[in-house]
Amino acid sequence: MKSLLLLSVLAALALAALCYESHESMESYEISPFINRRYANTFISSQQRWRAKAQERVRERTKPAYEINREACDDHKLCERYAMIYGYNAAYNRYARQLRGRK
C-alpha cells in the first residue's frame, strides 16, 4: 500500500513537472512571428542578395575534390553502401575510379 501511494505521488509530481507551462512560452503569441508579404525581402538589400548569388556560383564552380568524389560515388548504389562502412574516400578509390578509368 505504501509503495502504491509513493508511486502515485511520484507520478503526480512528474505530471506536474512535465505539464507546467511557463509564461515564457506565451511570449510567442504576443508578437506575430510572420512578416507581411510586402516587407518580406526588405531586410536584405539587393546588393547583399546579388553578392550571395555570386558567391554561390563561385562555390558551385570550385568544389573541393572530396565533394566531387562523393558526388561521383553517390551515383552508384554499391559505392554508396561501401562508403557507409569504409568511408567515401575508400569507396571512391574502389568503385568510381575504376568506372572513370573505363571511359
Side-chain angles (χ1 to χ4, degrees):
M1 188 68 179
K2 285 184 180 182
S3 62
L4 183 61
L5 182 63
L6 181 62
L7 184 63
S8 63
V9 169
L10 286 174
L13 287 174
L15 184 66
L18 293 174
C19 295
Y20 174 74
E21 188 169 339
S22 67
H23 295 291
E24 293 173 357
S25 65
M26 300 298 282
E27 290 176 359
S28 62
Y29 296 118
E30 294 172 5
I31 301 171
S32 176
F34 300 106
I35 300 174
N36 187 351
R37 285 183 184 185
R38 176 182 248 169
Y39 302 111
N41 291 325
T42 58
F43 61 93
I44 297 178
S45 69
S46 61
Q47 180 69 24
Q48 287 175 325
R49 237 180 275 132
W50 179 83
R51 190 177 298 136
K53 286 180 184 177
Q55 287 175 349
E56 182 64 29
R57 285 189 202 116
V58 168
R59 272 189 238 116
E60 278 296 317
R61 273 190 262 138
T62 57
K63 289 183 180 178
Y66 67 87
E67 190 172 343
I68 295 169
N69 295 350
R70 185 174 183 159
E71 288 176 357
C73 190
D74 283 341
D75 293 338
H76 306 285
K77 209 60 162 166
L78 289 175
C79 185
E80 199 172 352
R81 286 183 189 163
Y82 194 86
M84 291 296 184
I85 299 169
Y86 299 105
Y88 275 98
N89 197 21
Y92 175 78
N93 289 337
R94 182 174 176 130
Y95 289 102
R97 264 206 189 136
Q98 292 173 358
L99 292 172
R100 286 189 179 197
R102 290 180 191 163
K103 289 183 180 178

